[in-house]
Amino acid sequence: MAQVEKRGGLLRKSSASKKPLKEKVVLMYDEIFMTEDPSKCSPRFWEELFLMKVNLEYLEGKLESLDGEELMKIKDNINCLFQHCIQALGEEHPIRVVNALQTLCALIRGVHQKNKSTSGFDIINMLMGFDKAELCMKNLMESLDSLLCAEGSESLKSLCLKLLLCLVTVTDNISQNTILEYVMINSIFEAILQILSHPPSRREHGYDAVVLLALLVNYRKYESVNPYIVKLSIVDDEATLNVSIWILFFLFRQYKDKEEEHQSGFFSALTNMVGSMFIADAHEKISVQTNEAILLALYEAVHLNRNFITVLAQSHPEMGLVMTPVSPAPATPVTPLGTTPPSSDVISSVELPLDADVQTSNLLITFLKYSSIVMQDTKDEHRLHSGKLCLIILTCIAEDQYANAFLHDDNMNFRVNLHRMPMRHRKKAADKNLPCRPLVCAVLGDLFVFFFCTHLVVELRCIQVVHKLLCYQKKCRVRLHYTWRELWSALINLLKFLMSNETVLLAKHNIFTLALMIVNLFNMFITYGDTFLPTPSSYDELYYEIIRMHQSFDNLYSMVLRLSTNAGQWKEAASKVTHALVNIRAIINHFNPKIESYAAVNHISQLSEEQVLEVVRANYDTLTLKLQDGLDQYERYSEQHKEAAFFKELVRSISTNVRRNLAFHTLSQEVLLKEFSTIS
């Protein structure tokens, strides 16, 4: 008997004398694409269709091959197919349900290809008809909700989530996707949360569930009441903890695996699931290609619900000590934003082990570690977006009273080993040599000090977070035992960077906004330092650093004075910096002559630090400073007013990549039959 090959819906014998034979399901598809109702001649047509294995490639290709006019001629049959798919979702036989779900996915994707430039209304009409759309979508959403909440097949749940992702991403701009109005009316929030609340479901479907929720939350979030935003903002049960742990473990686990590969010299697994999110180069650094969809979900949780921030302070076992290595998965293409769903073995490795003997860590530490990886390289646009998103999350954390109390708690000390890009003059510190300190020290020192001068967007956010932390310390009189000189030195180096690159930077950015924030940080230390600096000597050291680096402040003053006296576009912005420098210049002009006089009287060519400090302490009384208002005040973060454009573009990119990477044919018929083998 001649061998049978299957190509493009054809069953073709190897013998050239025979004509190609089509699969039965393909013949049935062809009948649907006729203008006549296929059930007229075959009353059991729809019942038989959903017993046939779906040919996704053929069905989508057929839809794409028709022009708009041809598609409108078979609109009634498309509507009928869509409605019968929804009816089949209520069938007891799971094979029918699986085939109906896959057919719906193919229909939506295929029709979308013909309506790329529309807002979604034509898609609704073509799929189900305007007159029946409300009832169809109600039935569809109820069926999907039931399947997601049931204790049945994991394959069915997977397909349900993929169908929902397909619905959500049918247009690049999800806020223009009118189909989502029905998803808003018929909420599946509880079903998504149920998946994330149960470890087995979370292992299998956590990725798709989290991405779906993040996208739904962003539907017309500034224009109307979004029920997913409302419900996410009031979640207060254990599911909150589950979502936070899953997201953070998921994100950081990818880096841990990549770091282990990197250190072991095994680069062959760069294209597996882990590699799709974190790609290392050959220069002893771990460049990061983040999963922005998952990071967006974490942001929405933290931004909308302070309970998620509270959860970040919870302890968990240190993941690096308890998780077993994940064997490399088969190679898969690397996507631009890393939105390819992970394999189940990777997901299962991020479940929380419960072992009382394992060293504990903290979710905030996990996030700080992840942020340190992201922010080491912001030259790439996508990595820059991820770094900005991490800093926005830190901004929300820095504005929260509970989170601040935890960050500054002197009784809660942690050893935080953040990732730093290897340099010749700086070797990686051993974990055992890291000091145990309050977490805010890791934010101020390790995270920010070493990531200044990376990108103006990152720098601006870093300075804003530092300012919010200082405002908390001043308000609550928290005297943090921290080497503040590291921060002051980093801030001055950042000013020097701005001045040395003035011409290049001014062509693209208003550098005076950042310069003003840096100067005002020094003003805050000068004005309120006695309320939060750990010792009087710390205040003396502040003055010493300002005097020691007076040339940088003098150069800054010369630059802003030059631009503020010209009638250019930067006149007003530069003038603000000029006025802000008044106290710093007063300190320099007051102490420098006295230091020079001390050196001359004592015949010393170069004073030591202690000698300069002696002069400073002896001349505080004659120093006159101006009181500056508003230094300990800040504008609270507002997404709509400040970052709406950023999130709109980010969600568009995520939506496009999710749609591109959706796979509906991953379930073979053999796998399904094996799973449903107990069904009579």
Side-chain angles (χ1 to χ4, degrees), residues 69 92 164 203-204 470 509 519 557 618 646:
E69 186 176 342
E92 292 184 2
L164 286 164
R203 281 195 296 269
E204 293 290 331
L470 291 181
H509 306 282
V519 171
Y557 181 75
F646 167 72

Side-chain angles (χ1 to χ4, degrees), residues 587-602:
I587 292 170
I588 294 170
N589 294 333
H590 175 74
F591 286 105
N592 267 354
K594 299 185 183 304
I595 292 171
E596 291 171 2
S597 175
Y598 179 91
V601 169
N602 292 279

Side-chain angles (χ1 to χ4, degrees), residues 365-502:
I365 295 176
T366 305
F367 177 68
L368 293 176
K369 287 181 178 180
Y370 179 76
S371 299
S372 71
I373 303 162
V374 171
M375 287 193 288
Q376 69 166 312
D377 186 1
T378 56
K379 294 180 181 179
D380 177 81
E381 183 181 3
H382 297 309
R383 295 170 191 165
L384 175 61
H385 287 168
S386 294
K388 181 176 179 180
L389 197 48
C390 284
L391 286 170
I392 291 176
I393 294 171
L394 275 174
T395 300
C396 295
I397 292 171
E399 292 182 0
D400 184 80
Q401 187 77 5
Y402 179 88
N404 262 312
F406 179 80
L407 284 171
H408 291 85
D409 191 344
D410 204 32
N411 296 314
M412 298 290 290
N413 295 323
F414 296 90
R415 185 175 285 112
V416 184
N417 186 19
L418 301 184
H419 182 81
R420 299 178 188 177
M421 190 181 300
M423 295 182 181
R424 290 180 180 178
H425 69 279
R426 184 177 71 209
K427 295 182 179 180
K428 184 176 180 181
D431 291 3
K432 62 182 180 181
N433 295 329
L434 294 170
C436 277
R437 304 177 296 176
L439 277 181
V440 70
C441 296
V443 177
L444 290 171
D446 298 332
L447 189 59
F448 287 165
V449 167
F450 290 100
F451 294 107
F452 285 155
C453 300
T454 54
H455 192 285
L456 287 185
V457 172
V458 173
E459 293 153 2
L460 190 64
R461 285 286 176 191
C462 286
I463 300 298
Q464 288 173 338
V465 174
V466 170
H467 180 232
K468 294 176 196 294
L469 294 173
L470 291 181
C471 288
Y472 174 83
Q473 292 171 24
K474 182 261 178 183
K475 176 184 176 182
C476 299
R477 295 184 174 269
V478 177
R479 296 190 182 277
L480 186 68
H481 293 280
Y482 171 69
T483 309
W484 289 104
R485 187 173 289 188
E486 291 182 359
L487 179 63
W488 299 331
S489 178
L491 292 172
I492 293 171
N493 286 334
L494 183 51
L495 282 177
K496 291 165 69 175
F497 170 78
L498 294 179
M499 289 183 286
S500 62
N501 294 278
E502 173 193 348

